[in-house]
Amino acid sequence: QQQVKQSPQSLIVQKGGISIINCAYENTAFDYFPWYQQFPGKGPALLIAIRPDVSEKKEGRFTISFNKSAKQFSLHIMDSQPGDSATYFCAARGYQKVTFGTGTKLQVIP
Amino acid sequence: EAGVAQSPRYKIIEKRQSVAFWCNPISGHATLYWYQQILGQGPKLLIQFQNNGVVDDSQLPKDRFSAERLKGVDSTLKIQPAKLEDSAVYLCASSSISSPGTQYFGPGTRLLVL
């Protein structure tokens, strides 16, 4: 099963708040879990990624939490800013192929 | 380093017409991907090349879509004939052999089929 389920579909957060996006997968062969950020009219850009042997990875205000036993991972954006308003996609790589989630449209309001 | 280049950026055609998109990946990237992104959805892989060979084209509608990467560098994706449901953004991405999970995307070509 190559599907990656992402929620919520949309999210509104106040400036300074924490944005949390969740993803779940079925295929235990996935070995790399990137998150992509996409602004309108642009292609997705790699934001942060994690391997399944690590439970958490932090880069600046962005943190991935990974729960291997539950087959879930999430993106946390601390101190969310209006400039973070974009669509976020989780993804999972397996068998040389990357499968994307359906996306979360984040709006950070002042 | 220059990013992934795509052209055209926008295209409007009528159904049953043909259209072609071009992609030039990041220099040295052996793997090239074409994705279809319908509004409000995640990118869906159409075809993946490694050098000039096809790795995965399982989701490419081969009765109307074709793609080639003849010299292992740039690539073209063609739709012939186009249908209304082909309206989408077509994204090209590339990655290196050493970091296959890190894909670099181009800006995409927005196709509208009327």
Side-chain angles (χ1 to χ4, degrees), chain A residues 33-49:
Chain A
F33 299 86
W35 283 88
Y36 285 83
Q37 180 188 55
Q38 186 176 28
F39 292 105
K42 306 287 187 183
L46 180 68
L47 187 62
I48 186 172

Side-chain angles (χ1 to χ4, degrees), chain B residues 9-74:
Chain B
R9 292 295 313 276
Y10 304 93
K11 191 74 177 178
I12 301 174
I13 61 173
E14 295 190 346
K15 60 183 179 182
R16 291 187 289 274
Q17 286 187 323
S18 63
V19 64
F21 311 128
W22 174 83
C23 172
N24 190 33
I26 291 174
S27 178
H29 280 190
T31 310
L32 184 148
Y33 314 78
W34 283 103
Y35 288 90
Q36 180 192 58
Q37 186 175 26
I38 293 172
L39 187 65
Q41 297 182 19
K44 183 183 90 170
L45 180 68
L46 292 176
I47 189 166
Q48 177 179 340
F49 293 95
Q50 185 155 312
N51 297 310
N52 59 350
V54 176
V55 173
D56 183 352
D57 63 356
S58 57
Q59 297 193 90
L60 186 74
K62 297 180 184 66
D63 57 333
R64 298 184 300 105
F65 285 66
S66 65
E68 59 184 15
R69 193 184 185 200
L70 293 176
K71 296 182 180 178
V73 182
D74 55 353

Side-chain angles (χ1 to χ4, degrees), chain A residues 26-62:
Chain A
E26 291 292 328
N27 192 338
T28 56
F30 288 140
D31 61 1
Y32 183 74
F33 299 86
W35 283 88
Y36 285 83
Q37 180 188 55
Q38 186 176 28
F39 292 105
K42 306 287 187 183
L46 180 68
L47 187 62
I48 186 172
I50 197 168
R51 297 190 184 278
D53 55 348
V54 176
S55 61
E56 185 175 283
K57 184 174 181 180
K58 185 176 180 179
E59 288 184 2
R61 296 185 293 110
F62 301 91

